[in-house]
Amino acid sequence: MNTPGATFMGSALGGTSSRAPAGDIGPQHWQGGPLQCGDCCHAALRTQPGEQGCEPGHACMQDVYARRIDRFFNWHPDLGDAQLEHPYFEVRAIAARHASVFRLLAMVDDPDETVRLQIALRLPLAQLIRLANDPHREVRIRVAQRLSPTALASMRNDEDYGVRELVALRMPLALLPLMASDRDRAVRMRVAQRLEMPALLRMADDTEVEVRRIVAERLPAPLLLRMARDADWRVRWEVAQRGDAAVLAALQGDEDSEVRQTVAERLGHEVIQLGVAHG
């Protein structure tokens, strides 16, 4: 039995020895220095066998190492609620994985983003919008991954393009045209990959070639003629891949050899197919 203030220095305590993996950092209190098992609020667990108890260097809530804290709460998930206000952020974050969901709303303003990341993973969807304006981008990304599609519109103007990309990938199609003029190319590319007509046609004049290429890949073939004079050969090449006879005629004398070759191959193939049909 530990006496109050007993210090763990890597030797056996309560009949259990440390089994920290080889190469792992040694047991250390989260505030620095050796573990003080006797000062721990769960010191009584040291008398319990195996996973009913705890084990400095392997499963310990007061350790600085998150893996050992995680193992402790895996052994004792029922203790999560009691440690949501622990001064060490790693303890709060890991305790939040096991705590009652009814306790999580009170933690949306936790000062550490590691804790709020865990809250964003477990908070009921009805309350998740509370984290939509979190100061940390990774928290907002988690929110954008989980929010219901209809609630995502409120995040379409997020300052981070990564958040807006997720919104563009999940927002309902009826609302997606709201993002067709996003300031970031990557976001508009995501929009172009999903947008339907007639909104897709309006993106044919986008300033970025990567966006226009996607439009050329998805636009209905009868509407491709308007893109046959695009300033970039890569867009015209995409148009040549799918265009009808009028498009191919417009591109036969294209200034780019790759585009002309594609047109020639398609025209040649159509001639062969016509010959087979009349054979």
Side-chain angles (χ1 to χ4, degrees), residues 59-238:
C60 177
M61 191 193 75
Q62 301 294 359
D63 202 290
V64 71
Y65 193 31
R67 185 171 296 176
R68 293 197 275 264
I69 299 170
D70 185 52
R71 192 173 289 116
F72 174 88
F73 281 107
N74 283 333
W75 289 6
H76 303 286
D78 55 310
L79 297 179
D81 281 1
Q83 300 302 331
L84 295 179
E85 297 181 3
H86 194 280
Y88 185 33
F89 75 92
E90 289 282 19
V91 173
R92 298 196 308 276
I94 295 170
R97 299 177 189 171
H98 303 278
S100 166
V101 293
F102 300 106
R103 297 285 306 277
L104 299 181
L105 188 59
M107 300 182 71
V108 296
D109 295 319
D110 191 279
D112 194 277
E113 67 271 13
T114 305
V115 178
R116 300 196 307 274
L117 279 168
Q118 294 302 321
I119 303 305
L121 285 175
R122 297 195 61 221
L123 202 65
L125 294 181
Q127 282 109 29
L128 189 59
I129 196 68
R130 289 278 301 273
L131 285 168
N133 295 313
D134 191 274
H136 199 278
R137 72 180 296 270
E138 293 299 329
V139 176
R140 300 197 308 276
I141 285 175
R142 297 275 179 94
V143 173
Q145 289 172 333
R146 291 193 61 221
L147 266 184
S148 65
T150 53
L152 277 173
S154 64
M155 299 186 74
R156 71 181 188 276
N157 294 318
D158 191 277
E159 65 183 28
D160 188 272
Y161 81 92
V163 176
R164 299 197 310 277
E165 271 195 273
L166 278 171
V167 174
L169 286 170
R170 299 190 60 235
M171 199 158 74
L173 288 174
L175 299 175
L176 195 57
L178 295 172
M179 301 188 72
S181 299
D182 190 275
R183 62 185 179 275
D184 191 273
R185 175 190 63 188
V187 177
R188 298 199 307 277
M189 289 173 65
R190 299 290 177 258
V191 174
Q193 287 168 352
R194 297 185 60 221
L195 206 59
E196 296 180 343
M197 290 291 294
L200 178 63
L201 183 61
R202 291 195 288 271
M203 297 191 76
D205 298 319
D206 193 275
T207 56
E208 295 288 341
V209 61
E210 290 89 348
V211 177
R212 300 197 307 274
R213 282 189 68 180
I214 295 172
V215 175
E217 290 173 351
R218 300 190 62 238
L219 208 61
L223 298 177
L224 284 172
L225 185 60
R226 65 169 291 170
M227 300 190 76
R229 298 304 179 196
D230 191 275
D232 195 283
W233 73 270
R234 291 167 292 182
V235 176
R236 300 196 305 275
W237 183 86
E238 293 289 352

Side-chain angles (χ1 to χ4, degrees), residues 18-36:
S18 170
R19 48 190 170 114
D24 210 347
I25 62 173
Q28 181 180 335
H29 193 274
W30 65 270
Q31 290 180 306
L35 296 170
Q36 300 288 341

